[in-house]
């Protein structure tokens, strides 16, 4: 539910930016790294917002993936250590023999 609300807020911001930009048909020159182009402000706003949004999701996704991999490794180590501890305890209890005096 939380993600749906976040998606709706981002979608509303995108729609508002396109709506506001659609009323401004001014053409601007946009200089990017290798060249320059003539774009309408509405198109430029929408495309740059979408690019920034996708780039942000990609960066957050990489961090999330790194955390998930670290969690999986930690869980695997924990399971292995618990298994070793169980074997050690079983060996310790099996080697104990009661000493009976007669």
């Amino acid at each position: 539910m939380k993600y749906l609300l976040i998606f709706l807020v981002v979608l509303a911001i995108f729609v508002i930016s396109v709506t506001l930009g659609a009323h401004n048909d001014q053409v601007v020159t946009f200089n990017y790294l290798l060249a320059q182009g003539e774009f309408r402000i509405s198109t430029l706003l929408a495309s740059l917002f979408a690019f920034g949004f996708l780039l942000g999701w990609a960066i957050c996704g990489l961090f999330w993936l790194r955390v998930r991999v670290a969690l999986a490794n930690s869980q695997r180590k924990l399971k292995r250590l618990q298994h070793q501890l169980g074997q050690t305890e079983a060996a310790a209890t099996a080697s104990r023999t009661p000493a009976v005096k007669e």
Side-chain angles (χ1 to χ4, degrees), residues 28-30 32 37 39-50:
V28 294
T29 302
F30 181 69
Y32 43 96
F39 300 102
R40 286 185 15 208
I41 288 181
S42 60
T43 305
L44 191 59
L45 276 172
S47 60
L48 289 178
F49 179 79

Side-chain angles (χ1 to χ4, degrees), residues 69-82:
V69 168
L71 178 64
N73 287 338
S74 297
Q75 286 177 338
R76 192 171 346 124
K77 285 180 185 178
L78 179 64
K79 194 177 285 187
R80 186 178 64 227
L81 289 172
Q82 286 175 341

Side-chain angles (χ1 to χ4, degrees), residues 53-68:
F53 183 76
L54 292 175
L55 182 65
W57 269 101
I59 290 171
C60 288
L62 288 174
F63 281 114
W64 178 81
L65 184 63
R66 187 177 76 172
V67 167
R68 292 297 297 179

